[in-house]
Amino acid sequence: MNHNEQDRSGAVDAARQRYGFGLSWLILMLTLPPFVYYLWICATFYEGALVLPSGTPGWLEFWSHVSPPTGKAALIYAVWFLLQAVLQQYAPGRSVEGMPLPDGRRLEYRMNGMLSFLVTLGLVAGLLTLGWIDATLLYDELGPLLTVVNIFAFAFSGFLYVWGLRGAAWERPTGRPLYDYFMGTALNPRIGSFDFKLFCEARPGMILWLLLDLSSAAKQYQGTTNGDHSFVHTRIGYHSSGFFKNLLAPPVPCPSASHQDHAPVWQVTSPPRVRSTDARHSGRFGRQ
């Protein structure tokens, strides 16, 4: 490794340490799943009250509401995940190049996020019209879905951790397995032209968030939920559609960057709103 490569690797390690924030990454990884369960149980079984059971028997009764995974929930999420992967890979969209990587390459990205978003909504509307699914399906299956998605997320992160260990030297992990598991071991995890970072940025999560919201609205319309959630439904719908409009729509050229190397450098039309998969590469979005 030459001097420049050592400086670059040192800078990468320094950035990882800087954005590690002590053990906050471990706290987030261990506490966010049970916190989501806590909120769901409170909303579903305690009419939205933030309960604090007294004593061990009370907490055991509280956590007994956690739903085990079911075959139905696993099938729903498997079909959903594969559908979004197919749309990212094959839906038409403009191909653009990212920022130069340390080895000089530029990766190509197909900017078809808004089209995939609209196609998904159209497919769901068609299934509802034909009566093949219920509008409240996701709301009714939310408990088992939470468990299935949590299991899948941890397992998929393990796959990406192992996959990233095969990367280039300038992507090398810090050597702390749990920290690298959380932050990632590869800057550009890809199989062929399928980019996992771009995919996980929003496709399986952000669109499903909107559909869960719409399913909740359908349940509210039936009169079987507590309170008026119309503001929440509207806000989530606005945020989700705006995300795909601004982040995953065809980008615009950045003249200042293009002037430096006389090659088109593409940037998204607004800063990304979801950065968890890009945390250790702050300022590098577009290089993934």
Side-chain angles (χ1 to χ4, degrees):
M1 181 181 295
N2 59 37
H3 181 70
N4 290 336
E5 289 175 336
Q6 289 177 343
D7 289 344
R8 185 182 300 120
S9 298
V12 171
D13 290 340
R16 292 178 180 179
Q17 297 294 333
R18 175 184 176 187
Y19 294 109
F21 298 106
L23 292 178
S24 62
W25 55 272
L26 182 61
I27 295 172
L28 288 173
M29 187 165 58
L30 296 179
T31 60
L32 282 180
F35 180 66
V36 172
Y37 274 117
Y38 171 80
L39 294 178
W40 174 73
I41 292 172
C42 288
T44 305
F45 299 99
Y46 296 91
E47 299 184 348
L50 298 178
V51 300
L52 291 174
S54 58
T56 300
W59 279 109
L60 290 176
E61 180 183 358
F62 180 87
W63 290 115
S64 69
H65 293 298
V66 172
S67 300
T70 64
K72 183 177 182 179
L75 179 62
I76 290 172
Y77 194 70
V79 171
W80 170 256
F81 194 87
L82 291 174
L83 170 64
Q84 294 307 312
V86 168
L87 286 174
Q88 171 167 303
Q89 189 71 0
Y90 298 109
R94 187 173 187 174
S95 294
V96 300
E97 289 185 333
M99 297 287 287
L101 296 172
D103 60 7
R105 294 179 301 134
R106 293 178 187 265
L107 299 179
E108 286 193 356
Y109 299 89
R110 182 174 295 173
M111 308 304 289
N112 58 11
M114 178 55 80
L115 178 60
S116 299
F117 178 68
L118 296 176
V119 168
T120 300
L121 294 183
L123 286 174
V124 172
L127 293 174
L128 290 172
T129 302
L130 293 172
W132 292 1
I133 61 174
D134 295 326
T136 61
L137 172 65
L138 295 180
Y139 181 93
D140 295 334
E141 295 294 323
L142 183 54
L145 275 172
L146 283 176
T147 304
V148 166
V149 173
N150 270 288
I151 293 173
F152 176 81
F154 279 95
F156 188 60
S157 297
F159 162 74
L160 291 178
Y161 170 82
V162 175
W163 182 267
L165 294 177
R166 305 167 49 187
W170 47 267
E171 291 184 310
R172 63 189 177 89
T174 64
R176 293 184 290 166
L178 286 177
Y179 181 76
D180 291 332
Y181 172 83
F182 178 79
M183 300 301 288
T185 54
L187 178 60
N188 310 293
R190 285 188 167 204
I191 294 181
S193 61
F194 188 85
D195 190 284
F196 285 107
K197 184 189 290 187
L198 183 65
F199 178 69
C200 293
E201 192 82 26
R203 303 303 178 91
M206 185 69 74
I207 306 177
L208 186 59
W209 184 25
L210 175 62
L211 294 181
L212 282 168
D213 182 65
L214 294 175
S215 184
S216 176
K219 196 74 172 181
Q220 181 183 340
Y221 181 77
Q222 292 179 352
T224 51
T225 60
N226 299 309
D228 184 358
H229 308 146
S230 56
F231 174 78
V232 176
H233 300 323
T234 303
R235 186 67 185 89
I236 293 176
Y238 173 80
H239 178 76
S240 300
S241 59
F243 180 93
F244 285 96
K245 175 179 181 294
N246 294 322
L247 179 55
L248 295 181
V252 296
C254 176
S256 59
S258 300
H259 178 72
Q260 296 174 7
D261 55 9
H262 306 288
V265 177
W266 296 93
Q267 294 184 344
V268 293
T269 56
S270 73
R273 295 183 176 86
V274 178
R275 293 299 294 273
S276 58
T277 58
D278 201 43
R280 70 180 176 92
H281 309 297
S282 180
R284 289 188 171 189
F285 189 83
R287 299 186 186 188
Q288 65 262 51

